[in-house]
Amino acid sequence: MWRKLVVMSLAVVFLMSFVIAAPITIHFWHAMSGKRLNAVNEIVNSFNASHPNIKVVPLFTGTYAETLTKAIAAYRAGNPPDIVQVYEVGFQTMLDSGAIVPVFDILKGFNFGNIVGPILRYYSYKGKLYAMPFNSSTAMLYYNKDAFRKAGLDPNKPPTTFEEVYEDGLKIVKSGAAQNGITFGWPAWIFEQMFAYHDQLYANNENGRGEKKATKLNINGPFGVKVLSEWMKWRHDNVLLYGGREYSANQAFLSGQSAMLIQSTSSLASIESAANFEVGTAFLPKMPGYPTGNSVIGGATLWVMKGLSAEKYKAIAEFLKYVAKTETTIKWHNSTGYFPITNAAVKVLLDTGSFCKDPNSLTAFLQILTGNVKDPAAIGVRLGGFVQIRDVVDSAIETAMQYKGTNYAQEAKKILDNAEAKANRILENYVKLYGDTNK
């Protein structure tokens, strides 16, 4: 009998050793595909190798919108991931979801002041960071220097205003240097960028960043009508090629069909590696007569879900701190073109001359760091139901791009009035669900 007890005790000890040694598993859902998927896996593999007591399991779960929808549905079904990557459009939804734990509650002692200012402000509420910045970007102008030369334009003098974009675009088309002057991806986002870049409120209640949530858009006012009518004129005169909703415009630029592209800085690495021409970059074009704003932060952050064990939150904190390490964020920046998220990483890049070797990477930094950093209009809009609203605005822009006439302002006003009404109904329904006060 005693031998049997000894054997059972040893078996229990043996099994316990496995239980104690088992790593804490963190399920990480993300929306990074293609080259970005490899970069995510490299970060995760490197973290897992240096933290044998923690195992992060990454899972690609579709587009940004799909990943957000799946994560909220999984939370309601009781089987959410531990970390989920959500794009900037989903910020208000995640804030009101009741499904998350703010990172400022998890990362005790973390130096949040080290995060690059515009990124920190975009993802903070009442001065506290709710999600860890990961793949941060903004929009900038790319241009084909070879096409500029062919059109008789100075390749070192990209357009800086709407008028110059139009004039250079006409010269490019007439010279045969390219079929179109310019195209851009994420049109609704670029439309939002124009508001922030000219310090114009996209929505009421301090762009949705005040005590109250946004309940009304401002897109059909004089500024929005001006932007859309300019784009319609460009399209009518073959200067603008509508390039689709996300990244498909990149191909029109890379193929030489369009000589300029407004796109996320996250496309920089892939564009530079694929282009068979000299690529230049520049700040977004402006319209004269408006105050200085800033380009808006895009990309996504890492949100931590509610209801996990203390041990798991401790493990997640280790992973988030690893993501923010100087060497990690520099490697991520070099692999993808996204911003390094910390000031320490930016300093290393400056000190080592990295930006001198690739000045195109510096363009976006200078753009966000030299703009207006205080006004809610310049920081960027925050909306409930933002995913649906961006879809409404994208549809409005697509309607505008099909207009064949020349009464641009009148048609733009009509299109934006219709879009505003639809968007305001989405905001109204959102407020009914979650209340009008930002918590």
Side-chain angles (χ1 to χ4, degrees):
M1 182 64 183
W2 65 272
R3 287 184 177 176
K4 189 175 180 180
L5 289 173
V6 169
V7 170
M8 290 177 65
S9 298
L10 288 173
V12 169
V13 170
F14 180 74
L15 290 173
M16 284 296 291
S17 67
F18 273 96
V19 172
I20 293 170
I24 298 171
T25 300
I26 304 297
H27 293 282
F28 168 30
W29 288 7
H30 66 82
M32 298 281 92
S33 59
K35 190 174 181 180
R36 299 179 184 92
L37 174 62
N38 295 331
V40 168
N41 288 337
E42 284 182 15
I43 290 175
V44 170
N45 292 338
S46 176
F47 174 81
N48 287 343
S50 59
H51 295 74
N53 59 330
I54 304 171
K55 183 180 181 183
V56 176
V57 181
L59 179 65
F60 171 70
T61 45
T63 65
Y64 279 138
E66 289 168 346
T67 298
L68 171 60
T69 302
K70 288 177 181 176
I72 295 297
Y75 175 77
R76 289 169 180 163
N79 58 349
D82 303 311
I83 302 173
V84 60
Q85 181 195 27
V86 175
Y87 62 159
E88 85 283 0
V89 171
F91 190 94
Q92 187 74 54
T93 299
M94 294 301 287
L95 207 61
D96 294 326
S97 68
I100 61 97
V101 174
V103 295
F104 70 77
D105 271 349
I106 296 172
L107 294 173
K108 302 297 184 187
F110 182 81
N111 181 14
F112 291 105
N114 189 30
I115 294 176
V116 173
I119 300 174
L120 181 65
R121 280 185 286 275
Y122 187 88
Y123 291 113
S124 293
Y125 177 61
K126 292 187 175 178
K128 292 184 176 180
L129 188 69
Y130 274 72
M132 175 58 77
F134 181 53
N135 53 312
S136 295
S137 61
T138 191
M140 66 178 176
L141 176 73
Y142 299 78
Y143 68 103
N144 179 337
K145 290 192 174 185
D146 293 352
F148 268 55
R149 291 187 185 96
K150 190 174 179 181
L153 298 168
D154 185 344
N156 296 314
K157 190 180 177 186
T160 59
T161 66
F162 271 41
E163 186 177 356
E164 289 177 358
V165 168
Y166 179 69
E167 291 175 351
D168 288 356
L170 283 178
K171 289 178 182 175
I172 287 164
V173 172
K174 289 178 180 176
S175 68
Q179 294 177 42
N180 308 102
I182 190 168
T183 185
F184 37 77
W186 299 90
W189 183 51
I190 303 304
F191 193 61
E192 295 157 22
Q193 290 278 1
M194 290 299 110
F195 276 75
Y197 201 54
H198 295 80
D199 201 23
Q200 303 293 306
L201 288 170
Y202 195 83
N204 67 349
N205 294 333
E206 299 178 59
N207 243 6
R209 292 179 171 274
E211 291 295 324
K212 299 288 186 181
K213 295 184 177 77
T215 57
K216 184 179 181 304
L217 295 192
N218 296 330
I219 60 174
N220 59 342
F223 181 80
V225 171
K226 175 67 175 172
V227 172
L228 188 59
S229 60
E230 285 289 320
W231 290 358
M232 292 165 73
K233 182 181 75 173
W234 298 357
R235 177 72 190 95
H236 180 272
D237 295 344
N238 212 28
V239 168
L240 171 64
L241 170 72
Y242 177 72
R245 292 196 175 189
E246 296 186 3
Y247 295 103
S248 54
N250 292 12
Q251 189 52 41
F253 179 64
L254 288 170
S255 70
Q257 183 178 358
S258 288
M260 294 176 278
L261 167 74
I262 295 179
Q263 181 57 283
S264 167
T265 54
S266 67
S267 287
L268 178 60
S270 60
I271 285 175
E272 286 188 323
S273 64
N276 59 2
F277 52 82
E278 188 178 358
V279 177
T281 55
F283 287 9
L284 294 171
K286 277 203 73 182
M287 294 187 294
Y290 294 95
T292 299
N294 207 347
S295 59
V296 178
I297 295 298
T301 49
L302 304 183
W303 291 81
V304 180
M305 305 302 280
K306 185 185 281 186
L308 309 178
S309 67
E311 290 76 14
K312 209 163 223 187
Y313 283 126
K314 189 176 178 182
I316 289 171
E318 288 300 310
F319 180 63
L320 296 181
K321 285 188 283 187
Y322 186 85
V323 167
K325 285 180 67 175
T326 300
E327 53 267 38
T328 306
T329 189
I330 287 177
K331 187 174 183 181
W332 174 246
H333 163 70
N334 289 333
S335 300
T336 63
Y338 286 114
F339 290 132
I341 60 171
T342 66
N343 295 314
V346 174
K347 183 177 185 303
V348 170
L349 289 168
L350 288 168
D351 291 347
T352 56
S354 176
F355 289 130
C356 295
K357 298 172 187 171
D358 185 9
N360 285 334
S361 294
L362 185 59
T363 303
F365 272 112
L366 293 177
Q367 185 174 254
I368 65 165
L369 294 177
T370 56
N372 179 339
V373 298
K374 295 180 179 178
D375 295 347
I379 295 173
V381 69
R382 183 177 295 166
L383 302 172
F386 205 164
V387 176
Q388 298 96 315
I389 289 173
R390 186 172 276 182
D391 184 61
V392 167
V393 176
D394 264 325
S395 296
I397 294 170
E398 286 166 355
T399 300
M401 293 297 100
Q402 296 171 17
Y403 178 62
K404 303 297 183 186
T406 58
N407 198 347
Y408 308 118
Q410 180 177 309
E411 190 67 15
K413 173 67 174 166
K414 186 170 71 176
I415 291 170
L416 290 174
D417 280 348
N418 184 45
E420 163 116 347
K422 290 179 180 175
N424 287 347
R425 284 196 291 274
I426 294 170
L427 290 172
E428 182 182 351
N429 290 333
Y430 189 87
V431 166
K432 284 179 182 175
L433 274 176
Y434 297 104
D436 65 350
T437 303
N438 278 317
K439 299 173 183 175

